[in-house]
Amino acid sequence: MERPDAAWGALASRRYLVSAWPWRSYAYLLSSVPVGVLTIAVLLVSVVVSIVLSPIVVGVLLMASIPLYGVLIGIVERWRARLVVPAGIASPHAAIPSTYSRRQRQIFRRRERASLRALGYGLLLGVFLWPLNALIAGICGTTLLLTAGAPVIAAYDQMGMGPWVLDNPREGFIFLVAFGPVWFVVSSYVVGVLAAAESELAKALLGAREEELRRNLAELRRSRLDLVDAFETERARIERHLHDGVQQRLVGLTMTLGLAELDLPEGEGRRLVVKAHGEAEAALADLREAVRGIHPRVLVDHGLEAAVREVADRSPLPVTVRMSLPDRLPAPIEAAAYFVVSEALGNVAKHAAATRCEVEGWIAGDRLVVTITDNGIGGAVLGTSNATGSTSDAGPGGGTLQAGGAGSTGSTGSAGGTGLAGLVTRLDALGGTLELTSPPGGPTRLRMECPCRLDD
């Protein structure tokens, strides 16, 4: 990609005169003439009509909508500026929330400073810039064309070029050879400097400023946090539906089958009812395990430390838990940490060939730190999410990772089957990180860090 200051860089290049930059500069300056004329005409007509209709509501609404013209002017001028700024000018406008109505979107854009700056640039273009560009680029371009065509023009008529009068093609050719290259060099640099200066003005008035970039970054992070929050809300909704709906129906089914089992005499019918009763109880146990993995109630009621201890107690290998968390953390942060621990312990049990595991958690400054360490065989690789949302679990040999430790993403755990690779994206939205250290032979250590607050 070319640098944003490509116009100035091209002027400093030794290949400027033999490149397309002089012609791009001509195109940029001359294209401002129709755009500038149309811009000032539309603005003047809008102001006059607004003043005339000001006694009624239509005039007031039209006057209030004039700043919206700045949005259109900015779009056109940023597109036109690509002639001399190939990298483009970043839009300064913030993203509008998708929940806004059409009227709210118009109010949002009308009140932005970027819209007012673009409107001011349109006035400057319509009043001052296009006449200047037409004068300078017109004179340079016309003189260059006349000089290049001097031999042909002089063959048919006398041609006055300053103090010289060209009467025949020979004089026209001599004039072209003597003054054509000089004027091409002079005019190319004149229009190049003017185009570069105007592109800098366009970037200053139509581009994003530092505070707007910070605001847009904050808006982006806020939208990502909203997605995380929506994800947690949906988890809670699914958990409530399964717990209060499906689970209760299964409980009722097992009770009914149990009563039927007591009432039926020995025989084939009773044997089938007993089998159905056992299947229903197994389905109920699986459902309770799934509900616990989707949105663990202990996490909501008692916090991260209690939830981690419950996961450790269910693990098939000994797990030592040392956590020191003085206060409750925001729900998305606790959920992310819980699922990291749950997924890691599931991977250790399935892939690490470990005999023990340790989970530690503490607050370091304004960040939550959680580590999961096992004494397994090591060699784990933390998968990453690709563009299609799948996970990459390739180990050192390039195949699918079959063994490792806490960082292995070769299986799914209680995090709803997302794997640690999916949790990396989730932590990134919260401003957190996930790091893995797993040398061959072990030990494997997974370290999660996340801010204790969700705001910027």
Side-chain angles (χ1 to χ4, degrees), residues 101-154:
S101 64
R102 182 177 179 180
R103 182 171 178 274
Q104 288 175 318
R105 289 168 181 266
Q106 292 177 349
I107 294 174
F108 185 91
R109 283 285 182 252
R110 191 176 67 225
R111 292 178 176 176
E112 279 190 309
R113 292 182 181 180
S115 300
L116 296 177
R117 289 202 308 270
L119 184 64
Y121 181 85
L123 289 172
L124 187 63
L125 176 66
V127 174
F128 177 72
L129 291 182
W130 80 260
L132 176 65
N133 294 343
L135 177 64
I136 295 179
I139 291 175
C140 290
T142 302
T143 305
L144 187 61
L145 289 174
L146 291 175
T147 303
V152 178
I153 298 174

Side-chain angles (χ1 to χ4, degrees), residues 27-44 69-70 72-81 116-135 194-195 198-199 201-202 205-206:
Y28 180 66
L29 296 179
L30 293 176
S31 65
S32 69
V33 176
V35 174
V37 172
L38 181 61
T39 298
I40 195 63
V42 171
L43 291 178
L44 286 177
Y69 291 159
L72 182 58
I73 292 171
I75 293 173
V76 173
E77 287 303 299
R78 281 191 292 271
W79 174 79
R80 200 170 62 85
L116 296 177
R117 289 202 308 270
L119 184 64
Y121 181 85
L123 289 172
L124 187 63
L125 176 66
V127 174
F128 177 72
L129 291 182
W130 80 260
L132 176 65
N133 294 343
L135 177 64
L194 182 59
E198 289 191 15
S199 68
L201 178 63
L205 294 179
L206 304 176

Side-chain angles (χ1 to χ4, degrees), residues 2 88 130 159 161 190 198 240 254 270 281 368 396 413 453:
E2 299 187 51
W130 80 260
M159 179 181 178
M161 294 297 287
V190 168
E198 289 191 15
R240 284 195 305 270
T254 56
R270 189 174 190 276
E281 288 183 338
L368 167 67
R453 298 173 58 187

Side-chain angles (χ1 to χ4, degrees), residues 36-300:
V37 172
L38 181 61
T39 298
I40 195 63
V42 171
L43 291 178
L44 286 177
V45 170
S46 299
V47 170
V48 171
V49 173
S50 300
I51 293 174
V52 172
L53 299 179
S54 59
I56 60 177
V57 177
V58 175
V60 176
L61 294 177
L62 184 59
M63 181 66 75
S65 66
I66 287 179
L68 291 176
Y69 291 159
V71 179
L72 182 58
I73 292 171
I75 293 173
V76 173
E77 287 303 299
R78 281 191 292 271
W79 174 79
R80 200 170 62 85
R82 287 184 175 273
L83 287 167
V84 287
V85 187
I89 299 175
S91 174
H93 296 289
I96 300 178
S98 58
T99 56
Y100 277 20
S101 64
R102 182 177 179 180
R103 182 171 178 274
Q104 288 175 318
R105 289 168 181 266
Q106 292 177 349
I107 294 174
F108 185 91
R109 283 285 182 252
R110 191 176 67 225
R111 292 178 176 176
E112 279 190 309
R113 292 182 181 180
S115 300
L116 296 177
R117 289 202 308 270
L119 184 64
Y121 181 85
L123 289 172
L124 187 63
L125 176 66
V127 174
F128 177 72
L129 291 182
W130 80 260
L132 176 65
N133 294 343
L135 177 64
I136 295 179
I139 291 175
C140 290
T142 302
T143 305
L144 187 61
L145 289 174
L146 291 175
T147 303
V152 178
I153 298 174
Y156 294 95
D157 195 4
Q158 285 189 344
M159 179 181 178
M161 294 297 287
W164 299 281
V165 177
L166 310 180
D167 293 324
N168 53 68
R170 180 173 172 275
E171 292 180 353
F173 183 75
I174 294 173
F175 182 84
L176 171 61
V177 173
F179 295 99
V182 175
W183 181 246
F184 174 71
V185 172
V186 172
S187 62
S188 295
Y189 277 101
V190 168
V191 296
V193 169
L194 182 59
E198 289 191 15
S199 68
E200 288 296 322
L201 178 63
K203 283 193 289 185
L205 294 179
L206 304 176
R209 298 188 175 181
E210 185 176 354
E211 65 272 14
E212 290 169 338
L213 291 174
R214 286 199 302 267
R215 181 200 62 206
N216 291 346
L217 182 61
E219 289 288 344
L220 177 61
R221 185 168 180 215
R222 188 175 298 114
S223 66
R224 297 177 71 184
L225 291 175
D226 288 342
L227 288 176
V228 172
D229 185 60
F231 181 65
E232 288 302 318
T233 302
E234 185 64 12
R235 275 182 177 274
R237 187 192 67 79
I238 295 173
E239 186 271 339
R240 284 195 305 270
H241 174 70
L242 294 177
H243 184 274
D244 299 335
V246 179
Q247 183 173 267
Q248 298 306 316
R249 287 182 178 274
L250 278 176
V251 170
L253 175 62
T254 56
M255 293 178 63
T256 302
L257 290 173
L259 293 174
E261 180 183 341
L262 295 175
D263 292 340
L264 288 174
E266 292 291 339
E268 183 65 17
R270 189 174 190 276
R271 187 184 67 78
L272 292 176
V273 170
V274 171
K275 182 179 179 181
H277 189 196
E279 293 290 343
E281 288 183 338
L284 182 60
D286 290 343
L287 178 62
R288 284 171 174 164
E289 184 67 23
V291 168
R292 187 184 296 112
I294 291 173
H295 195 73
R297 180 58 53 184
V298 65
L299 178 66
V300 177

